[in-house]
């Protein structure tokens, strides 16, 4: 089995990938990166020219971007059943929500956080459309099934629940019973608990994040 190195900071989107790695259950090494100059070194820019975490190196393969890492790991370890089979109708649903969270949802919630102007004058030109449409679309999907793809827990649930947890914790999204219940179900998974414990412990050994 190829060696896997995980580049992260515990107060970053790396927490999403940590959870995915714990669900996969393989051995991996952790390279904790400090925000600032360490992420801009020549060595790390060779891994991710964006100078951001998370990233993984699996053998000779480097993957960045949270949704891409989760999808890659699900495909590399199909025995863990963290994605629908490629020939199933659910595979399309799975792709839909992975890309929805990485695209429209993150754009919509960023717009809410930073007061970006998205209204009827420009909503047709931006990926998330009207901000409230992204939120309402996700709420409707989660009110219909236990998991975002139906009856099966997948890597997409890791992405969806992690992003929802962050946005609700930051109060960027108003209180919502559907989202709250979904987050609680996902957070109860043993792998999610292990991942949080590991990252909370790692955070004790790094410099505090300052604005």
């Amino acid at each position: 089995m190829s060696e896997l190195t995980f580049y992260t900071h515990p107060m970053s989107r790396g927490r999403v990938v940590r959870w995915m790695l714990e669900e996969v259950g393989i051995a991996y090494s952790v390279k904790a990166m400090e925000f600032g100059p360490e992420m801009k070194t020549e060595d790390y820019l060779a891994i991710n020219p964006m100078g951001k975490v998370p990233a993984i190196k699996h053998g000779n393969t480097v993957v960045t971007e949270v949704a891409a890492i989760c999808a890659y790991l699900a495909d590399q370890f199909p025995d863990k059943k963290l994605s629908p089979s490629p020939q199933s109708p659910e595979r399309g649903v799975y792709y839909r929500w992975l890309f929805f969270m990485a695209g429209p949802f993150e754009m919509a919630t960023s717009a809410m956080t930073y007061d970006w102007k998205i209204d009827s004058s420009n909503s047709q030109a931006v990926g998330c459309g009207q901000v409230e449409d992204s939120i309402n679309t996700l709420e409707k999907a989660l009110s219909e099934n236990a998991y975002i793809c139906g009856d099966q827990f997948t890597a997409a649930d890791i992405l969806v629940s992690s992003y929802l947890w962050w946005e609700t914790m930051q109060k960027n999204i108003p209180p919502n019973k559907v989202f709250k219940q979904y987050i609680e179900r996902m957070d109860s998974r043993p792998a999610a608990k292990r991942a949080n414990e590991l990252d909370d412990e790692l955070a004790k050994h790094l410099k505090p994040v300052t604005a």
Side-chain angles (χ1 to χ4, degrees), residues 103-109 111 118 123 126-134:
F105 184 82
E106 183 157 3
M107 183 176 189
T109 53
I118 298 179
S123 61
V126 297
C128 66
Q130 294 282 2
V131 168
E132 60 271 19
D133 289 345
S134 293

Side-chain angles (χ1 to χ4, degrees), residues 35-196:
F35 289 115
E38 187 175 8
M39 292 189 192
K40 307 300 182 182
T41 62
E42 184 176 347
D43 285 347
Y44 186 64
L45 291 176
I47 298 294
N48 185 359
M50 292 282 288
K52 293 172 67 68
V53 292
I56 63 168
K57 186 175 183 182
H58 186 211
N60 293 322
T61 300
V62 172
V63 189
T64 67
E65 313 314 316
V66 176
I69 295 170
C70 289
Y72 171 82
L73 290 171
D75 285 349
Q76 287 295 301
F77 303 96
D79 58 306
K80 305 301 180 180
K81 301 187 184 306
L82 291 169
S83 63
S85 65
Q87 291 76 31
S88 70
E90 291 78 18
R91 186 72 170 199
V93 179
Y94 170 73
Y95 283 141
R96 174 191 179 185
W97 293 113
L98 283 175
F99 287 99
F100 178 86
M101 296 308 291
F105 184 82
E106 183 157 3
M107 183 176 189
T109 53
S110 294
M112 295 168 68
T113 303
Y114 299 110
D115 294 322
W116 296 347
K117 178 189 174 185
I118 298 179
D119 57 25
S120 59
S121 70
N122 61 6
S123 61
Q124 290 186 342
V126 297
C128 66
Q130 294 282 2
V131 168
E132 60 271 19
D133 289 345
S134 293
I135 309 301
N136 294 339
T137 294
L138 189 58
E139 180 181 6
K140 183 177 185 299
L142 292 176
S143 67
E144 294 172 348
N145 297 292
Y147 302 107
I148 193 64
C149 295
D151 297 327
Q152 177 187 357
F153 175 84
T154 68
D157 288 294
I158 295 176
L159 200 67
V160 172
S161 60
S162 294
Y163 277 38
L164 276 178
W165 172 82
W166 174 256
E167 297 300 341
T168 54
M169 187 269 291
Q170 292 290 312
K171 297 182 169 44
N172 296 329
I173 296 177
N176 181 303
K177 182 179 178 181
V178 171
F179 292 162
K180 181 176 184 293
Q181 292 178 341
Y182 172 73
I183 293 167
E184 288 174 350
R185 289 199 306 275
M186 300 306 107
D187 281 353
S188 69
R189 294 181 64 84
K193 294 179 178 179
R194 285 197 308 273
N196 281 327

